[in-house]
Amino acid sequence: MRKMELTHFDEYGKALMVDVTGKNDTERAATAMGRILVSRAVYDAIEEGTVGKGDVLGVATTAGIMGAKRTSELIPMCHILPVTGCRVQFEMNPEECAVYCYCTVKVTGKTGVEMEALTGVSVALLTVYDMCKAIDKSMEIGEICLLRKSGGKSGDIQNRRAAKKPARTLADLDIL
């Protein structure tokens, strides 16, 4: 196994934004997932569309897309990327009282979109929490991880451990 060098530090150990000037633009994509565990009352309200603040998953979809597009404003060393596509999807799991979120982000650029996909999922799930907290504040957000990425120097990568967790299989996801 080869040793990975950390790229966000200069020779003195100070943080820096990686210089990608010399890299070629390539098509890149990343898909992340996460889930929020909710009470039966919250689950039913989301499913029935009776949450007082409106269409929970519709608003969370928009929030997730906005989060993905604004990742560089939140994560200090992220590059500003011209996101060319973003899709946020949800799956309701009644047995677990869980809402799974999937976010796929695409770009043609010099660096990947893993952070954008992870941020999209995080913001979407936080939005579900915000919209439902009047019903129950004990919701739990977790299991946020990268499922897969493509393009760039490291090529195609699939997170085998995470692929066993989601309610859907990777093949079932309607990717951009």
Side-chain angles (χ1 to χ4, degrees), residues 34-36 43 46 57 90-93 97-101 125:
R35 76 173 183 183
I36 185 166
Y43 187 91
I46 292 171
L57 300 184
F90 292 95
E91 179 178 11
M92 304 283 288
N93 185 311
C97 274
V99 180
Y100 283 84
C101 179
L125 292 174

Side-chain angles (χ1 to χ4, degrees), residues 84-120:
T84 57
C86 183
R87 184 171 193 159
V88 174
Q89 298 170 276
F90 292 95
E91 179 178 11
M92 304 283 288
N93 185 311
E95 292 81 33
E96 295 180 80
C97 274
V99 180
Y100 283 84
C101 179
Y102 305 87
C103 179
T104 299
V105 182
K106 291 180 79 175
V107 69
T108 299
K110 298 173 185 289
T111 188
V113 288
E114 296 92 345
M115 294 306 299
E116 286 72 12
L118 290 162
T119 301

Side-chain angles (χ1 to χ4, degrees), residues 36-46 51-53 56 96-97 125-141:
I36 185 166
L37 297 174
V38 301
S39 67
R40 177 57 57 190
V42 169
Y43 187 91
D44 291 344
I46 292 171
V51 175
K53 289 186 176 183
V56 173
E96 295 180 80
C97 274
L125 292 174
L126 286 167
T127 300
V128 171
Y129 184 97
D130 178 57
M131 293 190 72
C132 298
K133 68 184 182 230
I135 301 168
D136 182 17
K137 292 177 178 48
S138 65
M139 295 171 275
E140 296 178 23
I141 296 171

Side-chain angles (χ1 to χ4, degrees), residues 159-172:
N159 182 342
R160 298 278 178 214
R161 287 187 311 247
K164 295 175 184 167
K165 292 181 184 178
R168 293 178 153 184
T169 65
L170 291 177
D172 292 336

Side-chain angles (χ1 to χ4, degrees), residues 48-73:
E48 295 164 10
T50 58
V51 175
K53 289 186 176 183
D55 175 11
V56 173
L57 300 184
V59 173
T61 297
T62 301
I65 293 168
M66 289 175 64
K69 291 178 8 179
R70 300 186 78 163
T71 299
S72 65
E73 295 175 35

